[in-house]
Structures are given as C-alpha cells and as structure tokens.
C-alpha cells in the first residue's frame, strides 16, 4: 500500500479512535491505518454510546466514526462529542448518497467524511489532514452539499436559518466577508489569495479569525453559513446588489 508523505517525524503520532459496529470494517481500517508510522490507533469502539468514555480514557486526536450503528448512531455521538471544549476532530464514515446525514455531521462540527470504499492511501491521508486542521471535503463535494442544504427543512425553518446566518455574517469585517464567500465557493487558500490580492498567510489568518468569531471547527461550516445567508447564487457566484 502506498501512502502520501507522513507528517513531520518530530511530531508525535496522531492518536486515532475507530468507532464502527462491523468488526470486519474495524479490522480493515486498523490494518490500513496501523501501517502508517505517524498514526497510533489508541482504541476501537462498537457503538456511539461508548464514544464519550473512550475519548475520556484514550484522549484521541481524531475519531473515525461510522454513521449507522445500532445503539447510538454516529451523528448523535458526533453532536454530543463536539460540544466538549477539548473534543477531538471527527471524520464520519459514510456512503456518498447520504447527503442529509453528511450535512448534519458537518453542522455538528465533523471535520469531513470518507467513503467506506475510499482507497486506503486516501483514508490515511484524510486522518493526517484532519489532525493538521484541514477539512476532508473537496470543493466538488462542498458544492453538492451546499445545493442539498438549500432544500432541507420546512420553508419557515429555512427562512429563520437564513435570517440568523445574515445576522452572523454582518459581524464580519469586509475583508473577512470576502474570504468567507471565497471559502464557500470551494476555493483553496492559494486561490483566495490570488483572487483578493492577499498573501496566503493573510488568508490563513482571516480564515482563523472567522472560525474563532463563530466558534466553528472547519471551513465547511463557514461555507454552510454563507450559503444559508443567501450570499451565493445558484452558480456559486455572489448575487448582485
């Protein structure tokens, strides 16, 4: 199995907790992830009800969480876990067609998702990226989720969500607003820097400020907020004013 370059050897290994009710899936994940020198599998869980105790005891950096489990599902476990001030990052295991479940996981603070049939090297890379603070959602997947978000929930709920989102966006400085909209378009830091004539370091600082202002965990949550506020057109462009 070929994997991408590992993290800095001087850094400690990423502590990973695997939660899935299928023993064969857990074994397969443990096999592929355990072969990476910079990932340390500290434990396994079989149900969402076990997550809180396992996190308290094992202190993982990342939890790889299945969505569908018999006792407490992975979405509920993620929502509970991400309310903690010292919560580890969460990557949900899912199938691509489960858009509503993925949206719920992202809104709860999951750092992204991976498909169960994702090539091993990409799963290993996803764990590394999440541990480093990067979401594991491609721009194409982000755009699909944005489109799906537009049609979820009753109309009154969507209008209330839009009002709340616009109020929150109003708290941003103009440059922060521009960066947030660019994030929602699925642009990388380098692309945002080129478009707004900023340095990449400045863009990273702006993104960090936006995350801090809203108490968010990742860029996808920024994108969802911008989308809820109606700042993107159907083609991903900012509406004319």
């Amino acid at each position: 199995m070929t994997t991408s370059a590992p993290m800095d050897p001087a850094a400690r290994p990423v502590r990973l907790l695997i939660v899935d009710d299928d023993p064969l899936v857990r074994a397969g994940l443990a096999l592929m992830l355990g072969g990476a020198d910079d990932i340390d599998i500290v434990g396994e869980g079989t149900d969402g009800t076990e997550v809180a105790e396992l996190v308290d005891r094992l202190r993982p950096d990342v939890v790889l969480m299945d969505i569908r489990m018999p006792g407490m599902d992975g979405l509920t476990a993620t929502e509970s876990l991400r309310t903690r001030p010292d919560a580890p990052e969460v990557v949900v295991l899912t199938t691509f067609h489960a858009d509503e479940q993925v949206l719920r996981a992202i809104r709860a603070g999951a750092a992204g998702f991976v498909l169960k049939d994702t090539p091993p090297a990409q799963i290993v890379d996803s764990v590394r990226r999440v541990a480093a603070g990067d979401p594991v959602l491609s721009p194409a997947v982000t755009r699909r989720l944005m489109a799906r978000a537009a049609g979820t929930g009753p109309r009154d709920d969507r209008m209330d969500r839009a009002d709340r989102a616009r109020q929150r966006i109003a708290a941003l400085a103009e440059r922060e607003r521009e960066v947030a909209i660019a994030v929602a378009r699925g642009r990388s830091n380098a692309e945002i820097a080129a478009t707004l004539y900023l340095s990449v370091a400045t863009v990273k600082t702006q993104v960090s400020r936006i995350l801090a202002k809203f108490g968010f965990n990742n860029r996808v949550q920024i994108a969802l907020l911008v989308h809820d506020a109606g700042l993107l057109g159907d083609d991903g462009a900012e509406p004319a004013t």
Side-chain angles (χ1 to χ4, degrees), residues 81-102:
L81 184 61
R82 291 303 300 172
T83 61
R84 300 163 54 134
D86 58 345
E89 298 292 349
V90 176
V91 177
V92 294
L93 285 165
T94 185
T95 52
F96 187 73
H97 65 269
D99 290 352
E100 291 185 13
Q101 293 176 326
V102 174

Side-chain angles (χ1 to χ4, degrees), residues 7 19 33 39 41 43 54 58 70 77 93 96 120-121 132-133 146 160 162 172 178 189 191 199 221-222 234:
M7 296 185 302
V19 183
L33 291 161
I39 296 177
I41 300 175
L54 287 171
L58 302 173
L93 285 165
F96 187 73
M146 296 306 102
D160 288 344
L172 296 178
E178 293 173 345
N189 287 342
E191 291 169 337
S199 69
Q221 290 174 299
I222 296 176
D234 292 339

Side-chain angles (χ1 to χ4, degrees), residues 146-238:
M146 296 306 102
R148 181 68 179 182
T152 58
R155 182 174 182 275
D156 288 347
D157 289 347
R158 295 200 305 271
M159 292 180 64
D160 288 344
R161 194 167 66 205
D163 288 341
R164 292 193 299 269
R166 283 192 288 268
Q167 290 173 6
R168 301 187 78 182
I169 290 291
L172 296 178
E174 181 61 27
R175 183 62 83 184
E176 292 172 340
R177 182 177 182 273
E178 293 173 345
V179 170
I181 291 171
V183 167
R185 291 173 179 158
R187 292 177 177 168
S188 67
N189 287 342
E191 291 169 337
I192 296 172
T195 301
L196 299 180
Y197 304 101
L198 301 171
S199 69
V200 173
T202 298
V203 172
K204 289 181 179 179
T205 298
Q206 294 284 355
V207 171
S208 295
R209 287 176 178 170
I210 297 167
L211 292 171
K213 280 189 175 183
F214 296 140
F216 287 165
N217 301 287
N218 57 65
R219 296 162 72 99
V220 180
Q221 290 174 299
I222 296 176
L224 284 171
L225 183 69
V226 171
H227 190 279
D228 286 346
L231 297 181
L232 297 179
D234 292 339
D235 60 355
E238 185 176 2

Side-chain angles (χ1 to χ4, degrees), residues 79-141:
E79 289 169 341
S80 176
L81 184 61
R82 291 303 300 172
T83 61
R84 300 163 54 134
D86 58 345
E89 298 292 349
V90 176
V91 177
V92 294
L93 285 165
T94 185
T95 52
F96 187 73
H97 65 269
D99 290 352
E100 291 185 13
Q101 293 176 326
V102 174
L103 274 171
R104 180 179 163 193
I106 297 303
R107 290 187 188 281
F113 78 96
V114 293
L115 307 180
K116 288 194 174 182
D117 60 356
T118 298
Q122 292 183 25
I123 294 181
V124 173
D125 186 58
S126 294
V127 171
R128 289 174 177 150
R129 287 175 55 193
V130 167
D134 296 326
V136 289
L137 283 173
S138 70
V141 172

Side-chain angles (χ1 to χ4, degrees), residues 23-103:
L24 291 179
V25 172
R26 291 199 311 275
L29 291 170
L31 180 63
M32 73 175 71
L33 291 161
D37 293 337
D38 54 348
I39 296 177
D40 181 13
I41 300 175
V42 296
E44 298 178 13
T46 63
D47 187 81
T49 57
E50 302 174 3
V51 171
E53 187 275 330
L54 287 171
V55 168
D56 285 339
R57 179 163 53 86
L58 302 173
R59 299 295 178 183
D61 301 307
V62 178
V63 178
L64 192 57
M65 183 102 68
D66 186 24
I67 283 184
R68 296 182 179 179
M69 292 181 286
M72 178 188 291
D73 64 80
L75 296 177
T76 302
T78 297
E79 289 169 341
S80 176
L81 184 61
R82 291 303 300 172
T83 61
R84 300 163 54 134
D86 58 345
E89 298 292 349
V90 176
V91 177
V92 294
L93 285 165
T94 185
T95 52
F96 187 73
H97 65 269
D99 290 352
E100 291 185 13
Q101 293 176 326
V102 174
L103 274 171

